[in-house]
Amino acid sequence: MEFINKIKQNYEQWARVTPQGLLYDRALFWLFVVLLLIGLVAVTSASMPYSARVFNDTFYFAKRDAVYVLLSFATCYLTLQISSSQWEKWHAKIFLLAIVLLILVLGIGTSVNGAKRWISLGILNFQPAEFAKLALTCFLASYFTRRYDEVRGKKFSAAKPFIVMGVLGVFLLAQPDLGSTVVLFVITFGMLFIVGANFWQFILLIGTGILLFVWLVLSASYRLKRFTGFLEPFKDPYGTGFQLTNSLMAFGRGEISGEGLGNSIQKLDYLPEAHTDFIMAIIGEEFGFIGILVVVILLGLLIFRAMKIGRESLMLEQRFRGFFALGISFWIFFQGFVNLGMALGMLPTKGLTFPLVSYGGSSIIIMSATVGILLRIDHENRLQRGGQARLRDD
């Protein structure tokens, strides 16, 4: 009976918006939960026709996604137990592990559509690129904490962080995975901006990044076809523009309020990757502009909470916590922005999932780990603020 009462008491505490006196950000937690559940419903709806045709099981992907959601809660809970000081202590080991995994996937990885990005672990195909994003964010947070004055003062202070990013980028491009490489670039760029590196370096980095991107697009014919298909998708609607044209038609059918849950036509084998890269197109078709707006607002609020946690950490002079939280916020924002922009035809088609919503075990689980990290950082900030308040009272 005492155990049941304890569970009830904990639930009642977590069910409310976070008051100042509590030790965890419940608003962040509930945003995380709601996005996961929206993703589960959307993936179930989007994947049913494909699951029935290919696996003779209408709920094949739905059941797997439900397992990923459960694993995500467990991952969030486990990372919540790890202090930020431990992450700072382990930063080099985590980075080396990411390199080992990226090398390993090139050797024993599973190839899908010509890309070798996954290591098969039974029910889960693990994607080292997702772990590499977390590893880089952790490593740079530690580096900028240790070399804070150097990064802010020296002329070429951005060189070392981008060399570190480049090491991961080389292995990612070998898969090939240009999308994740661009995400790493944005994380590094954003964290350098927060640290306060010399402004002229950002101009140089933007120019260098654009030149490298153009070279990478031109150096591979399939990338060039994707880019030209993005510019004029209806010029070749059954070839390079096939995915984008069907995605745009899905949004067009949804209009303001959508066709209703389960009533998408584009998921009936018209739109490839409907439950992964183009999940937002199906949400747009079934729930309309209102549905898209709700998801974007929820993710925006989660990013806002992450940035708020990072800012509070820096105000408490906890640089590692602050840089880590802000790096995570850049990562989540950019990946969500690219995924939605791609589905809307504003950006070239890339294989990046929408955070916490798209189907994909590695993406959901690693994103859940970042939420656990944010909750832990916020918890430590609250404890520190409470200690300072008690000291002032004394």
Side-chain angles (χ1 to χ4, degrees):
M1 194 65 181
E2 291 182 6
F3 177 72
I4 295 175
N5 289 333
K6 187 175 181 181
I7 292 176
K8 183 179 179 181
Q9 183 181 3
N10 289 336
Y11 170 77
E12 288 174 350
Q13 289 178 348
W14 279 89
R16 303 187 188 94
V17 177
T18 308
Q20 189 65 26
L22 292 180
L23 295 181
Y24 292 98
D25 189 336
R26 281 204 299 256
L28 175 62
F29 175 77
W30 283 118
L31 288 167
F32 162 66
V33 171
V34 172
L35 282 168
L36 277 180
L37 295 179
I38 288 174
L40 179 59
V41 173
V43 166
T44 299
S45 177
S47 65
M48 289 172 68
Y50 182 74
S51 297
R53 179 173 61 84
V54 176
F55 299 100
N56 199 29
D57 181 357
T58 305
F59 297 100
Y60 177 82
F61 286 109
K63 289 184 285 189
R64 291 170 70 93
D65 197 51
V67 172
Y68 298 155
V69 169
L70 293 175
L71 289 174
S72 296
F73 286 126
T75 302
C76 182
Y77 176 79
L78 289 174
T79 51
L80 185 57
Q81 311 308 310
I82 303 173
S83 66
S84 60
S85 61
Q86 285 295 106
W87 285 101
E88 187 172 9
K89 182 180 178 181
W90 295 341
H91 74 278
K93 295 178 180 177
I94 294 171
F95 184 79
L96 289 174
L97 177 59
I99 293 177
V100 170
L101 290 172
L102 289 174
I103 294 173
L104 193 63
V105 75
L106 294 175
I108 65 170
T110 302
S111 182
V112 179
N113 296 328
K116 224 174 188 181
R117 301 176 187 173
W118 296 270
I119 299 174
S120 180
L121 299 176
I123 192 173
L124 172 67
N125 288 325
F126 179 69
Q127 190 173 5
E130 297 299 325
F131 182 76
K133 297 168 189 175
L134 176 61
L136 179 68
T137 308
C138 180
F139 185 91
L140 291 180
S142 176
Y143 177 83
F144 291 143
T145 301
R146 291 180 282 110
R147 304 293 182 89
Y148 181 74
D149 294 329
E150 176 185 329
V151 173
R152 288 175 61 88
K154 288 192 175 181
K155 289 184 178 180
F156 297 99
S157 59
K160 291 180 181 178
F162 272 91
I163 289 172
V164 171
M165 186 276 297
V167 171
L168 296 176
V170 167
F171 292 113
L172 286 171
L173 291 173
Q175 295 179 6
D177 189 352
L178 178 59
S180 293
T181 306
V182 174
V183 173
L184 296 185
F185 181 90
V186 170
I187 291 172
T188 308
F189 185 91
M191 293 179 73
L192 269 169
F193 183 81
I194 291 297
V195 173
N198 291 332
F199 179 75
W200 70 269
Q201 291 186 94
F202 293 104
I203 305 299
L204 181 63
L205 288 171
I206 291 173
T208 304
I210 292 173
L211 290 175
L212 284 173
F213 180 80
V214 171
W215 176 75
L216 288 168
V217 169
L218 295 177
S219 64
S221 58
Y222 75 92
R223 289 183 188 139
L224 184 59
K225 287 180 180 178
R226 281 186 179 181
F227 193 79
T228 55
F230 141 74
L231 293 174
E232 294 181 290
F234 288 95
K235 188 175 181 180
D236 186 13
Y238 298 104
T240 56
F242 184 73
Q243 287 180 311
L244 184 52
T245 53
N246 281 282
S247 176
L248 293 174
M249 283 189 280
F251 283 110
R253 290 192 75 248
E255 297 185 342
I256 300 298
S257 58
E259 295 290 324
L261 179 62
N263 292 327
S264 166
I265 290 179
Q266 296 307 118
K267 69 184 180 185
L268 303 177
D269 292 336
Y270 293 105
L271 179 61
E273 311 297 338
H275 58 295
T276 55
D277 298 345
F278 286 92
I279 191 67
M280 294 300 285
I282 302 302
I283 292 175
E285 185 177 5
E286 295 189 345
F287 297 99
F289 174 76
I290 295 173
I292 294 292
L293 187 62
V294 168
V295 175
V296 169
I297 288 174
L298 289 171
L299 188 69
L301 289 173
L302 189 146
I303 294 167
F304 174 78
R305 302 295 291 198
M307 297 188 74
K308 181 174 179 288
I309 290 168
R311 178 176 175 273
E312 289 174 349
S313 299
L314 294 178
M315 291 178 66
L316 291 169
E317 299 183 356
Q318 296 294 332
R319 288 176 182 165
F320 176 79
R321 294 184 210 163
F323 296 150
F324 203 4
L326 289 168
I328 289 171
S329 68
F330 294 139
W331 167 13
I332 297 174
F333 166 77
F334 184 73
Q335 191 154 319
F337 171 78
V338 170
N339 179 275
L340 183 57
M342 170 196 70
L344 288 168
M346 298 169 61
L347 296 171
T349 303
K350 293 305 304 172
L352 291 175
T353 58
F354 194 89
L356 300 172
V357 176
S358 295
Y359 175 83
S362 299
S363 175
I364 293 175
I365 290 171
I366 295 297
M367 279 291 173
S368 300
T370 65
V371 173
I373 292 167
L374 291 170
L375 287 168
R376 178 69 191 209
I377 292 173
D378 178 71
H379 169 67
E380 294 177 4
N381 288 346
R382 289 167 187 264
L383 288 177
Q384 185 173 343
R385 286 201 306 268
Q388 290 177 350
R390 284 193 293 272
L391 286 172
R392 284 195 295 270
D393 291 339
D394 292 343

